[in-house]
Amino acid sequence: MSNDNSCLISKLSHYVDLDVQSRDSLARLEAEEEDYDRACEIYGADMEGQFLYVVKHGWLYSYIDLPDGRRQIVKIHHPGDIIGFQDIAYHQTTTAVRAAEACVLCPFPKKGLTTVFSDCPQLAALLFAVALRDHTVLVDTIRAIGRMSAMEKIAHMLLDLQARLRITNTSMTDTMRLPLNQSEIGDFVGLTNVYVSRTLMRMEEMGLISRDGINVTIKRENDLARMADFTDRYRKLDTSWFPDSES
Amino acid sequence: MSNDNSCLISKLSHYVDLDVQSRDSLARLEAEEEDYDRACEIYGADMEGQFLYVVKHGWLYSYIDLPDGRRQIVKIHHPGDIIGFQDIAYHQTTTAVRAAEACVLCPFPKKGLTTVFSDCPQLAALLFAVALRDHTVLVDTIRAIGRMSAMEKIAHMLLDLQARLRITNTSMTDTMRLPLNQSEIGDFVGLTNVYVSRTLMRMEEMGLISRDGINVTIKRENDLARMADFTDRYRKLDTSWFPDSES
DNA sequence: CGCCTTCTTGAATATTATCAAAGAACGTGG
DNA sequence: CCACGTTCTTTGATAATATTCAAGAAGGCG
């Protein structure tokens, strides 16, 4: 089983050197592959969720609808992410997941994690730490949505996405592909698509960013970081409390 | 060591019957006690956080400031909660914590968790599950803050607090003590203190709630739940994947 | 009783949403 | 490779929601 090209493994390896057993356990999760079209709903909310998914290609997002049609996007999933991990403490899914573009997923049963937890304490600790990291990221998002202006919210979102992509792609430039339309951006930061458009225009006029089709360039990262009071939560984790890994 | 009166143990026992070893491990975390005054800052953000705290009495909250003084309250802590748990994956604290009223805390060093993780797999799994539960609660909060009107946000907050208090206090009435001023409520749901006041008045006129000093009565819970599309995330967790606990 | 904090209320303002329509981009099939 | 339909983005005008500033009322505490 070759696991050299697994984004999941390379993403997790950013934090600790995984032992062979851990790498094998992870590779097993990526045994199956499935293709999904853009805008396809992978699963809905409040479903019996027996499956998790490793993202192989493409972006997706988790969201929750309100009864009247309003929608909140909660997390954007990139290659190497595990979708559904947050829901393992519940019998049913708490969010729905949709493909932001055509993508490839590796589904695996919820039970597949049991062996990880029992056989690979180091990996279990890492997955735990990543879950806590995602919690902190969510806290930063709450702060942005609850207390920031439209432009600050969008600045925060762009910097957050960039920081995440930098984990696996260390040679990243200041330009990234952003396969989300403005309604989706709005649903993520709590604005309407119209106001997202106006705000992006304004940011472009101010020279903070530039856009070219699906690509966004962050031109004045420091200024954006200052206005969003941004902290990179992805780069480093405290792994000192992990079991038996001195690496 | 008697652990009959520990709110931490009774709160966690709501989900699984803890074995003796787990109960002892938890009791050890509550060995020390410290008193704090109202409005006292327990710790700040970005501090070296070697200590966690079990709440023994009183309410507190975690928050983050923005550089210009705006503030977002992220979580309200009740007796039986563990403060600082979310930060163990980082070297520094990611939020600050303040006492909403006079309170009693049991501080213990971050390392105190290591023995829990290594000696009590069942308890480790439960703490993990509770962390995931809190993640889901945060997702619901994001949805409320990002996509709901002022009244819906406040409805959501009240129902969330009530659901949490019901875990330990099963005989709870529809009235609860709410030791938060309107600025704090506003900082929690993303509104100004002024608009919180207006909205609470309106909710009272509509007969949704009533207030008497520090106490709030939820008079039309079903209507509030419908407007906030509320789901109780506290009552039940999926514990089937826990190690060796058939209880 | 008096001080301090919190809550309420009013008026003016700012920000964002809504509605509507036109323009741009994009993919598909001929 | 072009025409067409569709989706996405931009722009304008108007409306709703929440904020800000300010001042007075209520309540708790020494």
Coordinates of all heavy atoms in Angstrom, one line a residue, chain B residues 44-78:
Chain B
G44 N -5.8 35.7 30.8 CA -6.0 36.4 29.6 C -5.7 35.6 28.4 O -5.4 34.4 28.5
A45 N -5.9 36.2 27.2 CA -5.6 35.4 26.0 C -4.1 35.5 25.7 O -3.4 36.4 26.2 CB -6.3 36.1 24.8
D46 N -3.6 34.5 25.0 CA -2.2 34.4 24.6 C -1.2 34.4 25.8 O -0.1 34.8 25.8 CB -1.8 35.6 23.7 CG -2.7 35.7 22.5 OD1 -2.9 34.7 21.9 OD2 -3.1 36.8 22.2
M47 N -1.7 33.7 26.9 CA -0.8 33.5 28.0 C -0.3 32.1 28.0 O -1.0 31.2 27.5 CB -1.6 33.7 29.4 CG -2.5 35.0 29.4 SD -1.5 36.5 29.5 CE -0.9 36.4 31.2
E48 N 0.8 31.9 28.7 CA 1.3 30.5 28.9 C 0.2 29.8 29.8 O 0.1 30.2 30.9 CB 2.6 30.5 29.5 CG 3.7 31.2 28.8 CD 4.0 30.5 27.4 OE1 3.9 29.3 27.4 OE2 4.2 31.2 26.4
G49 N -0.5 28.9 29.2 CA -1.6 28.3 30.0 C -1.3 26.9 30.6 O -1.6 25.9 29.9
Q50 N -0.7 26.9 31.7 CA -0.4 25.6 32.3 C -1.5 25.1 33.1 O -1.5 23.9 33.5 CB 0.9 25.7 33.2 CG 2.1 26.1 32.5 CD 2.4 27.6 32.6 OE1 1.5 28.4 32.8 NE2 3.7 28.0 32.5
F51 N -2.5 25.9 33.4 CA -3.6 25.4 34.3 C -5.0 25.4 33.6 O -5.3 26.2 32.8 CB -3.7 26.4 35.5 CG -2.6 26.1 36.5 CD1 -1.4 26.8 36.4 CD2 -2.8 25.1 37.5 CE1 -0.4 26.5 37.4 CE2 -1.7 24.8 38.4 CZ -0.5 25.5 38.3
L52 N -5.7 24.3 34.0 CA -7.1 24.2 33.7 C -7.9 24.4 35.0 O -7.3 24.4 36.1 CB -7.4 22.9 33.1 CG -6.5 22.4 31.9 CD1 -7.3 21.3 31.2 CD2 -6.2 23.5 30.9
Y53 N -9.2 24.6 34.9 CA -10.0 24.8 36.1 C -11.3 24.0 36.0 O -12.0 24.0 34.9 CB -10.3 26.3 36.2 CG -9.1 27.2 36.3 CD1 -8.5 27.6 35.1 CD2 -8.6 27.6 37.5 CE1 -7.3 28.4 35.2 CE2 -7.5 28.4 37.6 CZ -6.9 28.8 36.4 OH -5.7 29.6 36.5
V54 N -11.6 23.4 37.1 CA -13.0 22.8 37.2 C -13.8 23.9 37.9 O -13.4 24.4 38.9 CB -13.0 21.5 38.0 CG1 -14.4 21.0 38.1 CG2 -12.1 20.5 37.3
V55 N -15.0 24.1 37.4 CA -15.9 25.1 38.0 C -16.7 24.5 39.1 O -17.3 23.4 38.9 CB -16.9 25.7 37.0 CG1 -17.7 26.8 37.7 CG2 -16.1 26.3 35.8
K56 N -16.6 25.0 40.3 CA -17.3 24.5 41.5 C -18.5 25.3 41.7 O -19.6 24.7 42.0 CB -16.3 24.6 42.7 CG -16.7 23.6 43.8 CD -15.7 22.5 43.9 CE -16.3 21.4 44.8 NZ -15.3 20.4 45.0
H57 N -18.4 26.6 41.7 CA -19.6 27.5 41.9 C -19.5 28.6 41.0 O -18.4 29.1 40.7 CB -19.6 28.0 43.3 CG -20.0 27.0 44.4 ND1 -21.2 26.3 44.3 CD2 -19.4 26.6 45.5 CE1 -21.3 25.5 45.3 NE2 -20.2 25.6 46.1
G58 N -20.6 29.1 40.5 CA -20.7 30.4 39.8 C -20.6 30.2 38.3 O -20.2 29.2 37.8
W59 N -20.9 31.3 37.6 CA -20.8 31.3 36.2 C -19.6 32.1 35.7 O -19.2 33.1 36.4 CB -22.0 32.0 35.5 CG -23.3 31.2 35.6 CD1 -23.6 30.3 36.5 CD2 -24.4 31.3 34.7 NE1 -24.9 29.8 36.2 CE2 -25.4 30.4 35.1 CE3 -24.6 32.0 33.5 CZ2 -26.6 30.2 34.4 CZ3 -25.8 31.9 32.9 CH2 -26.8 31.0 33.3
L60 N -18.9 31.7 34.6 CA -17.8 32.5 34.1 C -18.0 32.5 32.5 O -18.9 31.8 32.0 CB -16.5 31.8 34.4 CG -16.1 31.6 35.9 CD1 -16.6 30.2 36.3 CD2 -14.7 31.7 36.1
Y61 N -17.2 33.2 31.9 CA -17.2 33.1 30.4 C -15.8 33.3 29.8 O -15.0 33.9 30.3 CB -18.2 34.1 29.8 CG -18.1 35.5 30.2 CD1 -17.1 36.4 29.6 CD2 -18.9 36.0 31.2 CE1 -17.0 37.7 30.0 CE2 -18.7 37.4 31.6 CZ -17.8 38.2 31.0 OH -17.7 39.5 31.4
S62 N -15.7 32.6 28.6 CA -14.5 32.8 27.8 C -14.8 33.8 26.7 O -15.9 33.8 26.2 CB -14.1 31.5 27.1 OG -13.8 30.5 28.0
Y63 N -13.8 34.6 26.4 CA -14.1 35.7 25.4 C -12.8 36.0 24.7 O -11.7 35.7 25.2 CB -14.7 36.9 26.1 CG -13.7 37.6 27.1 CD1 -13.0 38.7 26.6 CD2 -13.6 37.2 28.4 CE1 -12.1 39.4 27.5 CE2 -12.7 37.8 29.2 CZ -12.0 38.9 28.8 OH -11.1 39.5 29.6
I64 N -12.9 36.7 23.6 CA -11.8 37.3 22.9 C -12.1 38.7 22.6 O -13.1 39.1 22.2 CB -11.5 36.6 21.5 CG1 -11.9 35.1 21.5 CG2 -10.0 36.8 21.2 CD1 -11.5 34.5 20.2
D65 N -11.1 39.5 22.8 CA -11.2 41.0 22.5 C -10.7 41.2 21.1 O -9.8 40.5 20.6 CB -10.4 41.8 23.5 CG -11.0 42.0 24.8 OD1 -12.3 42.1 24.8 OD2 -10.4 41.9 25.8
L66 N -11.2 42.2 20.5 CA -10.6 42.8 19.3 C -9.8 44.0 19.7 O -10.0 44.6 20.7 CB -11.7 43.2 18.3 CG -12.3 42.0 17.4 CD1 -13.6 41.5 18.1 CD2 -12.5 42.5 16.0
P67 N -8.8 44.3 18.8 CA -7.9 45.4 19.2 C -8.6 46.7 19.6 O -8.1 47.4 20.4 CB -7.0 45.6 17.9 CG -7.1 44.3 17.2 CD -8.4 43.7 17.5
D68 N -9.7 46.9 19.0 CA -10.4 48.2 19.2 C -11.4 48.2 20.4 O -12.2 49.1 20.6 CB -11.1 48.7 17.9 CG -12.2 47.8 17.6 OD1 -12.4 46.7 18.2 OD2 -13.0 48.1 16.6
G69 N -11.4 47.1 21.1 CA -12.3 47.0 22.3 C -13.5 46.2 22.1 O -14.2 45.9 23.1
R70 N -13.9 45.9 20.9 CA -15.0 45.0 20.7 C -14.7 43.7 21.3 O -13.5 43.3 21.4 CB -15.4 44.8 19.2 CG -16.0 46.1 18.6 CD -16.1 45.9 17.1 NE -14.8 45.9 16.4 CZ -14.7 45.8 15.0 NH1 -15.8 45.7 14.3 NH2 -13.5 45.8 14.5
R71 N -15.7 43.0 21.7 CA -15.5 41.7 22.4 C -16.5 40.7 22.0 O -17.6 41.0 21.7 CB -15.7 42.0 23.9 CG -15.4 40.8 24.8 CD -15.5 41.2 26.3 NE -16.8 41.6 26.7 CZ -17.2 41.6 28.0 NH1 -16.3 41.3 29.0 NH2 -18.4 41.9 28.3
Q72 N -16.1 39.4 21.9 CA -17.0 38.3 21.6 C -16.8 37.3 22.7 O -15.8 36.8 23.0 CB -16.6 37.7 20.3 CG -17.5 36.5 19.9 CD -18.9 36.9 19.6 OE1 -19.1 37.8 18.9 NE2 -19.9 36.1 20.2
I73 N -18.0 37.0 23.4 CA -18.0 36.0 24.4 C -18.3 34.7 23.6 O -19.2 34.6 22.8 CB -19.0 36.2 25.5 CG1 -18.6 37.4 26.3 CG2 -19.3 35.0 26.3 CD1 -19.5 37.8 27.4
V74 N -17.5 33.7 23.9 CA -17.5 32.5 23.2 C -18.2 31.3 23.9 O -18.9 30.5 23.2 CB -16.1 32.0 22.9 CG1 -16.0 30.6 22.4 CG2 -15.4 33.0 21.9
K75 N -18.1 31.3 25.2 CA -18.7 30.2 25.9 C -19.0 30.6 27.3 O -18.1 31.3 27.9 CB -17.8 29.0 25.9 CG -18.4 27.9 26.8 CD -17.9 26.5 26.5 CE -18.6 25.5 27.4 NZ -18.3 24.1 27.2
I76 N -20.1 30.2 27.8 CA -20.4 30.5 29.2 C -20.2 29.2 30.0 O -20.6 28.1 29.6 CB -21.9 31.0 29.3 CG1 -22.0 32.3 28.6 CG2 -22.3 31.0 30.8 CD1 -23.4 32.7 28.4
H77 N -19.5 29.3 31.1 CA -19.1 28.2 31.9 C -20.0 28.0 33.1 O -20.1 29.0 33.9 CB -17.6 28.3 32.3 CG -16.7 28.4 31.2 ND1 -16.3 27.4 30.4 CD2 -16.0 29.5 30.7 CE1 -15.5 27.9 29.4 NE2 -15.3 29.2 29.6
H78 N -20.4 26.9 33.4 CA -21.3 26.6 34.5 C -20.5 25.6 35.5 O -19.5 25.0 35.1 CB -22.6 25.9 34.1 CG -23.5 26.8 33.3 ND1 -24.3 26.2 32.4 CD2 -23.6 28.1 33.2 CE1 -25.0 27.2 31.8 NE2 -24.5 28.3 32.2

